[in-house]
Amino acid sequence: MTVALQTLLDRSIKNMGSGMNSVVKASALEMIKRAYKEGIYAQISAGFRSMEEQAALYGQGRLFYSYRGKNYADLSKPQVTKAKPGQSFHNFGVAIDFFIVSDDGKNAIWTINTKWTRVASIGKELGFKWGGDWTGFKDYPHLEMTGGLSYAQMQLGKKPSLSLKFKDDDDIAVIEPPKKDVDSEVTKEPSKDNGDRTIVSIQKTLNSRYDAGLVVDGINGPKTQTALIKALQTELNKQFNKKLIVDGKWGAKTKAAIVTLEKGAKGNLTWILQAALYTEGYKPGTLDSIFGQATETALAKFQKAKMIAADKKAGKATFAELFAA
């Protein structure tokens, strides 16, 4: 019995994890669909990889290796990568690995044959770069979509400007990159012309309303995301007495404290939702703290892209996708 397309998609979504760039994730699934139409059954084996997971991979086959105070050396396994944490595009959700499966979907096929190269070609048509084209070490399962950014730039919080190479109902909005090459939030004296104007507005509001202490550079980096989580925790404490530690870290207690927002909601929590949607590449309209039609539309598109219930209400699952690392 031939494996169902939905089975391959479900497995791929699970293997990619929750930290994927939405354009990369959608393009990966489109690649699976196109290959399936040609009678080639492909599946994503890996997507987002945390820094700790990268450290564990790098530690394999090494006598000494520690990361953030933890020993990851593991001589019981062979070396599999030369990439330390932050040196793999998997760490930033813009890379995937794939393989071919048997017709019944029960066995992985790692032979590099015409089916394998055809899937890679489909991936390249969708905007990916293939590790099989590298001049040095060839990584045949690997596909990446970096938007021309380097590891160093992504480590500083820069995000690639990506767009879908195929028609899709999600109509994902892409934040335009700065016209000038600028540093991320570590910049001390950013030019007034640098960065995304809406991100600038978000950073200014976080500074004035929550004393975030951000450098206003218009770049959506990790400090801006941390400040948004702190703002969320502050509002949950202030409005609902949730007694959260305001540390800017997304965790089980913060998730449990989330209240559901829906059309008609007004106030600072709605503003935080709008700001978070914008930083993820979805346009909620004016960041006016009013949950109107534009915010509802952006939310529905985000929920659909993240494969969560598109109920147009921002609850625990939605905020988890917006803020979980």
Side-chain angles (χ1 to χ4, degrees), residues 167-182:
K167 291 183 179 180
D168 184 82
D169 292 336
D170 289 340
D171 188 26
I172 296 175
V174 178
I175 298 174
E176 292 297 326
K179 293 183 178 179
K180 297 182 180 180
D181 187 18
V182 297

PDB file of all heavy atoms in Angstrom, residues 167-182:
ATOM      1  N   LYS A 167       2.445  30.091  -5.347  1.00  0.00           N
ATOM      2  CA  LYS A 167       1.231  30.712  -4.856  1.00  0.00           C
ATOM      3  C   LYS A 167       0.698  29.933  -3.666  1.00  0.00           C
ATOM      4  O   LYS A 167       0.608  28.717  -3.693  1.00  0.00           O
ATOM      5  CB  LYS A 167       0.172  30.760  -5.964  1.00  0.00           C
ATOM      6  CG  LYS A 167       0.520  31.716  -7.099  1.00  0.00           C
ATOM      7  CD  LYS A 167      -0.605  31.776  -8.118  1.00  0.00           C
ATOM      8  CE  LYS A 167      -0.259  32.759  -9.236  1.00  0.00           C
ATOM      9  NZ  LYS A 167      -1.347  32.844 -10.246  1.00  0.00           N
ATOM     10  N   ASP A 168       0.328  30.684  -2.642  1.00  0.00           N
ATOM     11  CA  ASP A 168      -0.169  30.046  -1.428  1.00  0.00           C
ATOM     12  C   ASP A 168      -1.204  30.957  -0.796  1.00  0.00           C
ATOM     13  O   ASP A 168      -1.090  32.180  -0.846  1.00  0.00           O
ATOM     14  CB  ASP A 168       0.987  29.812  -0.446  1.00  0.00           C
ATOM     15  CG  ASP A 168       0.551  29.054   0.787  1.00  0.00           C
ATOM     16  OD1 ASP A 168       0.478  27.821   0.717  1.00  0.00           O
ATOM     17  OD2 ASP A 168       0.292  29.699   1.812  1.00  0.00           O
ATOM     18  N   ASP A 169      -2.201  30.374  -0.202  1.00  0.00           N
ATOM     19  CA  ASP A 169      -3.296  31.152   0.384  1.00  0.00           C
ATOM     20  C   ASP A 169      -2.863  31.964   1.591  1.00  0.00           C
ATOM     21  O   ASP A 169      -3.545  32.899   2.007  1.00  0.00           O
ATOM     22  CB  ASP A 169      -4.447  30.225   0.805  1.00  0.00           C
ATOM     23  CG  ASP A 169      -5.123  29.594  -0.399  1.00  0.00           C
ATOM     24  OD1 ASP A 169      -5.027  30.178  -1.495  1.00  0.00           O
ATOM     25  OD2 ASP A 169      -5.728  28.521  -0.230  1.00  0.00           O
ATOM     26  N   ASP A 170      -1.711  31.593   2.185  1.00  0.00           N
ATOM     27  CA  ASP A 170      -1.306  32.262   3.418  1.00  0.00           C
ATOM     28  C   ASP A 170      -0.879  33.705   3.192  1.00  0.00           C
ATOM     29  O   ASP A 170      -0.970  34.530   4.087  1.00  0.00           O
ATOM     30  CB  ASP A 170      -0.143  31.505   4.077  1.00  0.00           C
ATOM     31  CG  ASP A 170      -0.607  30.193   4.661  1.00  0.00           C
ATOM     32  OD1 ASP A 170      -1.814  30.050   4.885  1.00  0.00           O
ATOM     33  OD2 ASP A 170       0.239  29.318   4.885  1.00  0.00           O
ATOM     34  N   ASP A 171      -0.368  34.021   1.980  1.00  0.00           N
ATOM     35  CA  ASP A 171       0.060  35.390   1.676  1.00  0.00           C
ATOM     36  C   ASP A 171       0.932  35.939   2.795  1.00  0.00           C
ATOM     37  O   ASP A 171       0.666  36.978   3.395  1.00  0.00           O
ATOM     38  CB  ASP A 171      -1.153  36.300   1.482  1.00  0.00           C
ATOM     39  CG  ASP A 171      -0.747  37.684   0.968  1.00  0.00           C
ATOM     40  OD1 ASP A 171       0.299  37.778   0.321  1.00  0.00           O
ATOM     41  OD2 ASP A 171      -1.498  38.645   1.231  1.00  0.00           O
ATOM     42  N   ILE A 172       2.003  35.215   3.094  1.00  0.00           N
ATOM     43  CA  ILE A 172       2.866  35.577   4.210  1.00  0.00           C
ATOM     44  C   ILE A 172       3.553  36.908   3.946  1.00  0.00           C
ATOM     45  O   ILE A 172       4.145  37.125   2.902  1.00  0.00           O
ATOM     46  CB  ILE A 172       3.931  34.486   4.441  1.00  0.00           C
ATOM     47  CG1 ILE A 172       3.234  33.187   4.855  1.00  0.00           C
ATOM     48  CG2 ILE A 172       4.944  34.905   5.482  1.00  0.00           C
ATOM     49  CD1 ILE A 172       4.162  32.020   4.988  1.00  0.00           C
ATOM     50  N   ALA A 173       3.454  37.812   4.890  1.00  0.00           N
ATOM     51  CA  ALA A 173       4.121  39.102   4.758  1.00  0.00           C
ATOM     52  C   ALA A 173       5.576  38.960   5.161  1.00  0.00           C
ATOM     53  O   ALA A 173       5.906  38.218   6.075  1.00  0.00           O
ATOM     54  CB  ALA A 173       3.442  40.136   5.653  1.00  0.00           C
ATOM     55  N   VAL A 174       6.448  39.669   4.477  1.00  0.00           N
ATOM     56  CA  VAL A 174       7.873  39.599   4.768  1.00  0.00           C
ATOM     57  C   VAL A 174       8.360  40.973   5.186  1.00  0.00           C
ATOM     58  O   VAL A 174       8.115  41.963   4.499  1.00  0.00           O
ATOM     59  CB  VAL A 174       8.671  39.117   3.533  1.00  0.00           C
ATOM     60  CG1 VAL A 174      10.157  39.093   3.842  1.00  0.00           C
ATOM     61  CG2 VAL A 174       8.197  37.741   3.107  1.00  0.00           C
ATOM     62  N   ILE A 175       9.027  41.049   6.317  1.00  0.00           N
ATOM     63  CA  ILE A 175       9.584  42.312   6.772  1.00  0.00           C
ATOM     64  C   ILE A 175      10.767  42.664   5.887  1.00  0.00           C
ATOM     65  O   ILE A 175      11.691  41.868   5.724  1.00  0.00           O
ATOM     66  CB  ILE A 175      10.040  42.212   8.240  1.00  0.00           C
ATOM     67  CG1 ILE A 175       8.836  41.904   9.130  1.00  0.00           C
ATOM     68  CG2 ILE A 175      10.737  43.484   8.689  1.00  0.00           C
ATOM     69  CD1 ILE A 175       9.196  41.650  10.564  1.00  0.00           C
ATOM     70  N   GLU A 176      10.742  43.829   5.289  1.00  0.00           N
ATOM     71  CA  GLU A 176      11.823  44.227   4.411  1.00  0.00           C
ATOM     72  C   GLU A 176      13.086  44.489   5.219  1.00  0.00           C
ATOM     73  O   GLU A 176      13.041  45.073   6.301  1.00  0.00           O
ATOM     74  CB  GLU A 176      11.441  45.499   3.645  1.00  0.00           C
ATOM     75  CG  GLU A 176      10.319  45.280   2.653  1.00  0.00           C
ATOM     76  CD  GLU A 176      10.711  44.310   1.559  1.00  0.00           C
ATOM     77  OE1 GLU A 176      11.890  44.301   1.182  1.00  0.00           O
ATOM     78  OE2 GLU A 176       9.846  43.559   1.099  1.00  0.00           O
ATOM     79  N   PRO A 177      14.250  44.084   4.708  1.00  0.00           N
ATOM     80  CA  PRO A 177      15.494  44.330   5.421  1.00  0.00           C
ATOM     81  C   PRO A 177      15.888  45.791   5.321  1.00  0.00           C
ATOM     82  O   PRO A 177      15.386  46.517   4.458  1.00  0.00           O
ATOM     83  CB  PRO A 177      16.500  43.447   4.662  1.00  0.00           C
ATOM     84  CG  PRO A 177      15.954  43.411   3.268  1.00  0.00           C
ATOM     85  CD  PRO A 177      14.459  43.409   3.424  1.00  0.00           C
ATOM     86  N   PRO A 178      16.776  46.259   6.181  1.00  0.00           N
ATOM     87  CA  PRO A 178      17.238  47.631   6.091  1.00  0.00           C
ATOM     88  C   PRO A 178      17.899  47.891   4.748  1.00  0.00           C
ATOM     89  O   PRO A 178      18.533  47.012   4.179  1.00  0.00           O
ATOM     90  CB  PRO A 178      18.263  47.736   7.237  1.00  0.00           C
ATOM     91  CG  PRO A 178      17.950  46.609   8.142  1.00  0.00           C
ATOM     92  CD  PRO A 178      17.377  45.526   7.286  1.00  0.00           C
ATOM     93  N   LYS A 179      17.763  49.113   4.236  1.00  0.00           N
ATOM     94  CA  LYS A 179      18.390  49.448   2.971  1.00  0.00           C
ATOM     95  C   LYS A 179      19.899  49.535   3.108  1.00  0.00           C
ATOM     96  O   LYS A 179      20.631  49.360   2.153  1.00  0.00           O
ATOM     97  CB  LYS A 179      17.827  50.773   2.453  1.00  0.00           C
ATOM     98  CG  LYS A 179      16.355  50.671   2.063  1.00  0.00           C
ATOM     99  CD  LYS A 179      15.849  51.972   1.492  1.00  0.00           C
ATOM    100  CE  LYS A 179      14.391  51.842   1.067  1.00  0.00           C
ATOM    101  NZ  LYS A 179      13.860  53.108   0.513  1.00  0.00           N
ATOM    102  N   LYS A 180      20.372  49.849   4.316  1.00  0.00           N
ATOM    103  CA  LYS A 180      21.796  49.905   4.571  1.00  0.00           C
ATOM    104  C   LYS A 180      22.188  48.732   5.440  1.00  0.00           C
ATOM    105  O   LYS A 180      21.406  48.226   6.216  1.00  0.00           O
ATOM    106  CB  LYS A 180      22.171  51.213   5.273  1.00  0.00           C
ATOM    107  CG  LYS A 180      21.896  52.455   4.425  1.00  0.00           C
ATOM    108  CD  LYS A 180      22.326  53.700   5.172  1.00  0.00           C
ATOM    109  CE  LYS A 180      22.072  54.958   4.355  1.00  0.00           C
ATOM    110  NZ  LYS A 180      22.499  56.179   5.077  1.00  0.00           N
ATOM    111  N   ASP A 181      23.441  48.310   5.321  1.00  0.00           N
ATOM    112  CA  ASP A 181      23.927  47.210   6.134  1.00  0.00           C
ATOM    113  C   ASP A 181      24.185  47.731   7.539  1.00  0.00           C
ATOM    114  O   ASP A 181      25.075  48.544   7.752  1.00  0.00           O
ATOM    115  CB  ASP A 181      25.213  46.641   5.533  1.00  0.00           C
ATOM    116  CG  ASP A 181      25.655  45.383   6.256  1.00  0.00           C
ATOM    117  OD1 ASP A 181      24.828  44.782   6.959  1.00  0.00           O
ATOM    118  OD2 ASP A 181      26.830  45.027   6.114  1.00  0.00           O
ATOM    119  N   VAL A 182      23.384  47.279   8.493  1.00  0.00           N
ATOM    120  CA  VAL A 182      23.515  47.782   9.853  1.00  0.00           C
ATOM    121  C   VAL A 182      23.758  46.636  10.803  1.00  0.00           C
ATOM    122  O   VAL A 182      23.460  45.484  10.512  1.00  0.00           O
ATOM    123  CB  VAL A 182      22.237  48.536  10.290  1.00  0.00           C
ATOM    124  CG1 VAL A 182      22.024  49.745   9.418  1.00  0.00           C
ATOM    125  CG2 VAL A 182      21.025  47.624  10.260  1.00  0.00           C
TER     126      VAL A 182
END
